[in-house]
Amino acid sequence: MSIIQEKREDWNGTLPLVAFGAFVTFVIAVQAILGGIAAFSYAFVWQAGIIDSINAGIYRQLYWIIGHGSQQINLLAMITVWYFLTHVVGGAVVASEKVSRTAFIMYLFFINLGAAHHLMVDPGLSAGWRIFNTSYAFYGAAFASMIHAFAIPAGLEAGRRQRGLGGGLFGWLTSAPWKNPIFASTIFSIILFGFLGGITGVLMGQMQLNMTWHNTYATVGHFHATVALGTTLAFMGLVFFVIKTMFQRNFISNKLALLVPYGYAAAMGLASLLMVYIGILYGVPRRTSQVVSNIIGSEFSLSAAEPLFLILGPMTLLAILVGAVFVLVSVGSLLGGSPTTEEDSKALLPQGGQFPTGEPTRCTQSRCAGRSSSVSSSWRRLSPCTC
């Protein structure tokens, strides 16, 4: 609706990259919802007695459009947050808007095909269908993810160097605002989602490894690394940003706020990695040990994996505790945080200034003609160009 409103006001420009990413996220959400409607409508007409039976293979394919597609909504929203917060807080620029936009568009056609890895043992699917969906088609999504994986750090380095922040090979990174919980949440989300969630997902999505990994605890580790780790950290950073800007409140405790990204990244990162190892090394089942213990003639025991479980348990409890701290800081700041000052607002500007050194202030004053100012005073302090 916001985009439609902008178009009605005779604006013919290109959507900003963050808005473009949000729009693609919306399209992926529609795809997932339509898949869910198709799956549950099919099941409903059978349950209502309108048809005598349903084809289980067709139902499973329809179901996983929403079963897996609902996670892709999180994925695209998370990547959009990455671009947004690395720019606003870290001073990043976009290395190439065309390349980043192309990666988002590739997701539209390929990302939901990753759901095929849930159907590898379905006897109704041909080997050709499985190989195509888990390799050639799936590579389109993996390639798009690799573009973001290089484009976002490259944009962060380029933006900070243009602003004269940090010298040497890695000075741009070591000088970054690591004591800012918004920035720390975003960077840990990028790193841990990429190395733990993304890599395990690409490996697990291939037909060969899928047959040995899919019903093990490694799958639990994979989706904890994506949803419970990467996505959650990105949204934690976004919530902190909204508290500072939209609600104009300081944190009740900066130390507790900073504990959230560091504590949660360490605890849930280690927990996710242990889950993957437990599944791959010891074959611990994905859901319950009875899956294999009830097989006649087989002997199965979890005792070999016990040392890793002894580490996994405390790490999961620690992650839950840090999650509770996040809720405490967020709600406490909204209810009891002190109002932000002009100096606090300046701290949310990209490090090194609103624009990189030598870049002109891009202000489309033509869009402001004939309009009354509707920009809040707090945002006006942050933006050098307002209507």
Side-chain angles (χ1 to χ4, degrees), residues 116-128:
H117 76 266
H118 290 281
L119 306 172
M120 289 298 97
V121 295
D122 197 309
L125 300 175
S126 67

Side-chain angles (χ1 to χ4, degrees), residues 108-132:
L108 285 176
F109 297 97
F110 299 113
I111 193 65
N112 277 336
L113 297 180
H117 76 266
H118 290 281
L119 306 172
M120 289 298 97
V121 295
D122 197 309
L125 300 175
S126 67
W129 185 95
R130 301 180 197 183
I131 293 171
F132 175 80

Side-chain angles (χ1 to χ4, degrees), residues 83-165:
Y83 278 105
F84 175 56
L85 291 182
T86 52
H87 168 76
V88 174
V89 181
V93 296
V94 180
S96 172
E97 285 215 10
K98 289 184 178 179
V99 171
S100 294
R101 290 175 192 274
T102 301
F104 276 117
I105 292 173
M106 291 179 70
Y107 277 149
L108 285 176
F109 297 97
F110 299 113
I111 193 65
N112 277 336
L113 297 180
H117 76 266
H118 290 281
L119 306 172
M120 289 298 97
V121 295
D122 197 309
L125 300 175
S126 67
W129 185 95
R130 301 180 197 183
I131 293 171
F132 175 80
N133 279 279
T134 58
S135 57
Y136 301 105
F138 190 60
Y139 294 155
F143 181 64
S145 296
M146 290 300 293
I147 290 175
H148 294 306
F150 283 98
I152 295 175
L156 184 62
E157 177 180 2
R160 293 184 65 79
R161 288 191 184 279
Q162 289 176 26
R163 289 175 166 88
L165 299 170

Side-chain angles (χ1 to χ4, degrees), residues 280-353:
I280 295 174
L281 297 179
Y282 301 103
V284 173
R286 176 177 176 177
R287 297 179 178 89
T288 169
S289 61
Q290 292 179 343
V291 172
V292 288
S293 63
N294 290 337
I295 299 176
I296 300 175
S298 66
E299 295 182 1
F300 186 83
S301 172
L302 297 176
S303 60
E306 185 176 347
L308 295 184
F309 273 115
L310 290 176
I311 305 173
L312 172 63
M315 288 300 102
T316 54
L317 293 176
L318 180 59
I320 293 171
L321 178 61
V322 179
V325 173
F326 165 73
V327 175
L328 173 66
V329 172
S330 300
V331 177
S333 300
L334 290 175
L335 299 178
S338 60
T340 57
T341 63
E342 185 172 353
E343 197 64 29
D344 297 324
S345 297
K346 289 180 180 179
L348 287 174
L349 286 171
Q351 278 197 323

Side-chain angles (χ1 to χ4, degrees), residues 86 89-92 156-180 183-184 187 262 347 349-352:
T86 52
V89 181
L156 184 62
E157 177 180 2
R160 293 184 65 79
R161 288 191 184 279
Q162 289 176 26
R163 289 175 166 88
L165 299 170
L169 189 59
F170 294 107
W172 59 274
L173 185 60
T174 57
S175 66
W178 292 102
K179 293 184 178 180
N180 185 328
F183 180 83
I187 297 302
Y262 284 91
L349 286 171
Q351 278 197 323

Side-chain angles (χ1 to χ4, degrees), residues 11 20-21 40 61 80 93 171 182 194 199 202 207-208 233-234 258 261 275 288 294 312 320 338 345 373:
W11 176 57
F20 184 80
F40 291 115
Q61 289 190 56
T80 303
V93 296
I182 301 172
I199 291 178
V202 171
M207 183 174 177
Q208 296 85 350
L233 274 171
L258 191 59
M275 292 177 190
T288 169
N294 290 337
L312 172 63
I320 293 171
S338 60
S345 297
S373 175

